[in-house]
Amino acid sequence: MKGIFAFVSGATSGFGEAIARKFAENGLNIIITGRRLERLEALKQELIVKHPTIECVVCCFDVRNENEVKNTVLDLPDYVTSKINILVNNAGLAVGKGPIDTGESDDWNRMIDTNVKGLLYVSKAIIPFLKNHRNSQIVNIASIAGKEVYPGGNVYCASKHAVDALSRAMRIDLLPYGIKVTNIAPGAADTEFSLVRYKGDSETAKSVYEGYTPLYAEDIADSVFYVCSRPAHVTINDLVIMPTAQASATNLLKD
Ligand code: NDP
Ligand code: 8X3
């Protein structure tokens, strides 16, 4: 796998940042993306010092803006795009949690535009490069919310069900090109996810992960690397990864 580039969306925190670190540790070159440029630059600096043999390219864009996505990818040098073998569609978020009749349309738009349309824009920009290789890989980060629905989760759950459906659809459409497609569906993981969902309310966000051991970003990064390092003839289609204390979206054993 050494020498190839992996494109990781949403690498400024949480899963994406841990996935970038894991790839770099294992000698992969990485393209790290997100809206917070200073975080991307700091991560790049850290990784190229720790792993001097890898290359790290920063791409700063908002996945909701199709032109921004397209133009940023088109600006990448040929020697980088010609070696992109892996796409990790990780950028995403929940905004708000509550009954559908009191939901805010701005929150709904942010979730649908980021989790569904953003994933499509990034995929459309990167798939042409994946098609140039046999054995390319797409990993879509969905959620347990893409397998089940839970109270107050309505639009976030719908957006993640869409990711789950797109993973299955991509697997069929991209079969002629030998592109593997993996859907990963994590349960509760301690990242900045809840801080974003609860709009900066750090007390509520912290309480989501109290009283049990949640997943950590590194757990998901390990699984992404495992999936991407299977032999050419093996594809992991779907992985549901839960904290041991969580049996389903709504069944969590707290102390
Ligand atoms: P974080 O909030 O820690 O990370 C989210 C990442 O997505 C950030 O890097 C953020 O970058 C990026 N992002 C969000 N919106 C945009 C945008 N409009 N344009 C570009 N990048 C964007 O959360 P997680 O690491 O937990 O989330 C990663 C994925 O995992 C998401 O898709 C989430 O839905 C999913 N997930 C999370 C679970 C959890 O419990 N934590 C469980 C199951 C799935 P920036 O803000 O710099 O743009
Ligand atoms: C994040 C996990 O259970 O809050 O996707 O939806 S959950």
Side-chain angles (χ1 to χ4, degrees):
M1 291 170 80
K2 289 192 168 61
I4 68 167
F5 271 90
F7 189 103
V8 182
S9 76
T12 57
S13 70
F15 297 166
E17 183 179 341
I19 293 164
R21 285 182 202 283
K22 185 76 183 179
F23 281 163
E25 271 165 30
N26 285 279
L28 273 76
N29 301 312
I30 41 178
I31 302 161
I32 53 173
T33 82
R35 291 166 299 181
R36 287 169 288 181
L37 181 61
E38 62 297 343
R39 286 201 185 194
L40 293 172
E41 295 289 7
L43 181 61
K44 173 180 173 169
Q45 206 41 45
E46 180 202 313
L47 293 181
I48 59 175
V49 169
K50 257 195 204 152
H51 312 289
T53 59
I54 68 135
E55 219 175 307
C56 179
V57 177
V58 163
C59 278
C60 187
F61 59 79
D62 187 326
V63 297
R64 294 171 295 178
N65 183 328
E66 185 173 13
N67 280 331
E68 221 176 282
V69 174
K70 202 165 61 181
N71 293 331
T72 312
V73 171
L74 283 176
D75 279 348
L76 288 168
D78 286 348
Y79 85 92
V80 171
T81 53
S82 65
K83 287 192 267 173
I84 300 178
N85 264 67
I86 296 173
L87 164 62
V88 183
N89 276 316
N90 164 74
L93 78 184
V95 196
K97 186 177 178 189
I100 197 144
D101 50 313
T102 57
E104 290 183 25
S105 45
D106 184 51
D107 295 347
W108 297 348
N109 289 336
R110 282 180 64 193
M111 289 187 272
I112 292 169
D113 290 351
T114 307
N115 300 352
V116 185
K117 291 161 75 179
L119 179 145
L120 288 171
Y121 299 151
V122 172
S123 301
K124 188 173 179 183
I126 299 298
I127 286 171
F129 305 116
L130 300 180
K131 281 162 80 174
N132 291 332
H133 310 274
R134 297 305 291 178
N135 201 26
S136 288
Q137 169 88 53
I138 297 175
V139 179
N140 291 330
I141 305 296
S143 171
I144 189 64
K147 304 283 184 191
E148 303 173 29
V149 289
Y150 54 81
N154 42 66
V155 176
Y156 179 67
C157 294
S159 74
K160 288 298 182 176
H161 275 69
V163 174
D164 193 283
L166 286 170
S167 295
R168 283 178 278 141
M170 284 178 172
R171 199 172 299 124
I172 295 167
D173 292 349
L174 302 177
L175 182 63
Y177 310 102
I179 300 175
K180 304 177 181 193
V181 180
T182 301
N183 189 78
I184 296 193
D190 189 356
T191 62
E192 292 179 14
F193 175 84
S194 290
L195 193 62
V196 173
R197 172 170 243 176
Y198 295 108
K199 304 179 181 179
D201 175 351
S202 52
E203 281 310 303
T204 305
K206 206 167 127 238
S207 71
V208 173
Y209 308 110
E210 280 170 353
Y212 68 105
T213 307
L215 293 171
Y216 297 106
E218 293 70 25
D219 300 318
I220 304 308
D222 278 350
S223 304
V224 171
F225 182 71
Y226 172 79
V227 158
C228 293
S229 54
R230 290 312 81 214
H233 68 290
V234 178
T235 301
I236 311 287
N237 280 357
D238 204 359
L239 275 182
V240 179
I241 308 172
M242 303 294 276
T244 305
Q246 187 180 17
S248 71
T250 49
N251 220 307
L252 187 59
L253 192 64
K254 292 206 179 199
D255 297 338

